[in-house]
Amino acid sequence: DVFYRQLPKVELHAHLNGSVSSHTIEKLIDRKPHLNIEHNMTAIGKGQRRTLDECFQVFKVIHQLVDTEEDILMVATDVIREFAADSVKYLELRSTPREEKHTGLTKRRYIETVIRAIQLCKEEGLDIDVRFLVAIDRRNGPQVAMETVELAEEFLLSSNGLVVGLDLSGDPTVGDGKSLLPALERAKNCGLKLSLHLSEVPSQLEESDLLLNLPPDRIGHGTFLHPEVGGSQILVDKVLKNNIPLELCLTSNIKGQTVPCYSKHHFKYWYQLGHPSVICTDDKGVFSTDLSQEYQLAASTFGLSREAVWKLSQQAIDCIFAPEAVKQQLKQKWTDLQPQVF
Ligand code: 5GP
């Protein structure tokens, strides 16, 4: 539908390597035929579902395909262009810096390359403001987390405002959030904004409670925070009290089977409370979606009018990590683009 395609949008939850389109995957497979990787190993198609564990296997395959500086540069520029073509006006990309000994890739070079891609896209004149969140993979433990924070801190100061924050992600069934608290506290104290994957699976109540005390600046998923699905009112109250926006990814949660169907998605719970809820893609490549489609799915599932959809995309501006001046510019853009009648 052209309304959703043209709707100006803000994307706040996009993992770089999960966002790689099938077109870019084709180019990567051509570069590395010896790996014998096929298309169906890198994306979950229409109507398909996987366990969360299988989803994390998909990322491993993509990581094999993206292991040089050239790969990262191509993947990042392609992903940014695709979001821009989908009328995303502001994008926060997140990615876990990786070291690859066999190609000489270092974590520092990884971050530098993503930043270079952002600058190249700016020079191209694309109508999209892109920022970067450095990601911690929880699987790698507290020491790597602390090293990642130190690296992110350096780029916070040297990247001309392009690095704005830190993400905590990775397989939620592995590792322990409590042990990562010192790293996250340090990040917060040095001015990095925090977006944390929280309560993506049941059984993370204690961890979520601890992490909410930081508090984070945004929450990824938060699928099992509310009491209706085994969370608790205490957790919900902490989110409400600190007014922490939620990044909500419908298709990702359905295909990863943490939510049974679209109509049972927790978007409904938080949206009805009037709590800041931002529609995001998570991994547009892996889950075969885009942000227009996610807005359209939210609208059709929860009966949102076009006006309500417009408001939803507009309110996402208040949740970005870039400074106030950028928010004002974006709000002006939305005002300029707003249709006279819906
Ligand atoms: P990358 O950080 O390599 O650019 O993107 C892929 C990585 O993002 C995965 O290896 C994983 O750590 C993280 N990721 C992507 N999607 C999800 C998700 O739905 N949940 C969590 N917890 N992590 C994810």
Side-chain angles (χ1 to χ4, degrees):
D1 184 321
V2 64
F3 171 78
Y4 295 94
R5 190 70 44 213
Q6 290 178 351
L7 177 73
K9 290 174 288 291
V10 167
E11 169 66 82
L12 300 182
H13 191 126
H15 299 271
L16 177 61
N17 284 296
S19 300
V20 185
S21 65
S22 58
H23 178 67
T24 308
I25 290 283
E26 242 162 65
K27 294 191 279 182
L28 291 164
I29 289 177
D30 286 344
R31 281 183 183 184
K32 297 175 167 72
H34 56 280
L35 289 176
N36 284 318
I37 289 171
E38 287 170 36
H39 244 115
N40 61 6
M41 299 158 75
T42 63
I44 304 167
K46 202 164 181 262
Q48 291 183 332
R49 289 180 191 199
R50 305 278 166 90
T51 63
L52 206 54
D53 193 49
E54 286 164 335
C55 293
F56 283 98
Q57 296 301 323
V58 175
F59 296 123
K60 280 193 190 147
V61 177
I62 298 173
H63 285 161
Q64 283 184 278
L65 283 171
V66 184
D67 65 353
T68 70
E69 196 179 319
E70 292 72 36
D71 297 336
I72 292 162
L73 190 68
M74 177 175 80
V75 160
T77 45
D78 282 4
V79 165
I80 293 169
R81 287 182 191 134
E82 288 154 5
F83 275 115
D86 193 31
S87 306
V88 171
K89 304 298 178 192
Y90 177 91
L91 162 67
E92 282 175 21
L93 265 183
R94 54 185 78 191
S95 194
T96 324
R98 260 179 301 135
E99 175 185 68
E100 295 285 359
K101 291 234 162 65
H102 65 290
T103 68
L105 183 67
T106 63
K107 292 185 181 182
R108 181 183 302 277
R109 184 45 66 92
Y110 189 106
I111 299 175
E112 285 169 355
T113 307
V114 176
I115 290 174
R116 189 143 58 89
I118 295 174
Q119 286 164 338
L120 283 172
C121 288
K122 199 179 274 182
E123 285 162 23
E124 259 175 44
L126 294 179
D127 183 18
I128 184 170
D129 184 331
V130 186
R131 310 285 164 147
F132 186 47
L133 309 182
V134 178
I136 291 175
D137 186 337
R138 50 183 293 142
R139 187 173 48 124
N140 297 329
Q143 197 182 332
V144 172
M146 189 59 91
E147 287 164 15
T148 306
V149 169
E150 285 166 11
L151 203 52
E153 223 177 308
E154 281 182 40
F155 282 99
L156 177 69
L157 300 172
S158 68
S159 66
N160 281 325
L162 295 185
V163 170
V164 288
L166 195 80
D167 153 76
L168 172 64
S169 54
D171 190 338
T173 63
V174 183
D176 146 42
K178 188 177 175 186
S179 70
L180 307 177
L181 273 175
L184 298 172
E185 272 160 6
R186 174 170 178 153
K188 201 176 160 65
N189 289 335
C190 77
L192 287 159
K193 300 279 189 184
L194 290 186
S195 170
L196 309 181
H197 283 63
L198 223 69
S199 284
E200 225 179 326
V201 292
S203 81
Q204 285 185 299
L205 291 185
E206 216 176 304
E207 179 186 293
S208 296
D209 191 58
L210 278 175
L211 294 177
L212 279 172
N213 290 339
L214 280 161
D217 298 284
R218 289 198 314 250
I219 292 168
H221 303 299
T223 315
F224 295 93
L225 286 171
H226 58 296
E228 289 169 21
V229 287
S232 78
Q233 195 57 45
I234 295 172
L235 295 179
V236 171
D237 286 342
K238 285 191 182 185
V239 176
L240 296 177
K241 186 176 125 252
N242 291 300
N243 200 31
I244 312 171
L246 265 74
E247 305 153 356
L248 301 172
C249 314
L250 278 72
T251 298
S252 163
N253 297 157
I254 306 307
K255 288 195 171 180
Q257 298 185 83
T258 53
V259 171
C261 59
Y262 283 98
S263 62
K264 293 218 167 85
H265 195 278
H266 50 294
F267 171 84
K268 187 176 178 186
Y269 178 89
W270 293 98
Y271 184 75
Q272 280 179 348
L273 285 176
H275 187 75
S277 308
V278 185
I279 299 281
C280 302
T281 54
D282 205 6
D283 301 285
K284 72 176 181 59
V286 170
F287 297 118
S288 316
T289 188
D290 59 37
L291 194 53
S292 301
Q293 192 175 326
E294 293 303 302
Y295 269 91
Q296 193 162 1
L297 280 163
S300 62
T301 307
F302 302 107
L304 310 182
S305 67
R306 289 194 167 186
E307 203 168 348
V309 170
W310 184 276
K311 215 168 153 201
L312 194 58
S313 90
Q314 194 171 36
Q315 284 170 342
I317 298 170
D318 285 317
C319 308
I320 70 171
F321 285 166
E324 190 55 37
V326 178
K327 287 186 190 172
Q328 293 310 326
Q329 283 165 17
L330 290 170
K331 285 181 182 173
Q332 187 60 50
K333 190 167 275 181
W334 260 246
T335 304
D336 294 343
L337 292 169
Q338 181 162 350
Q340 302 253 299
V341 279
F342 283 99

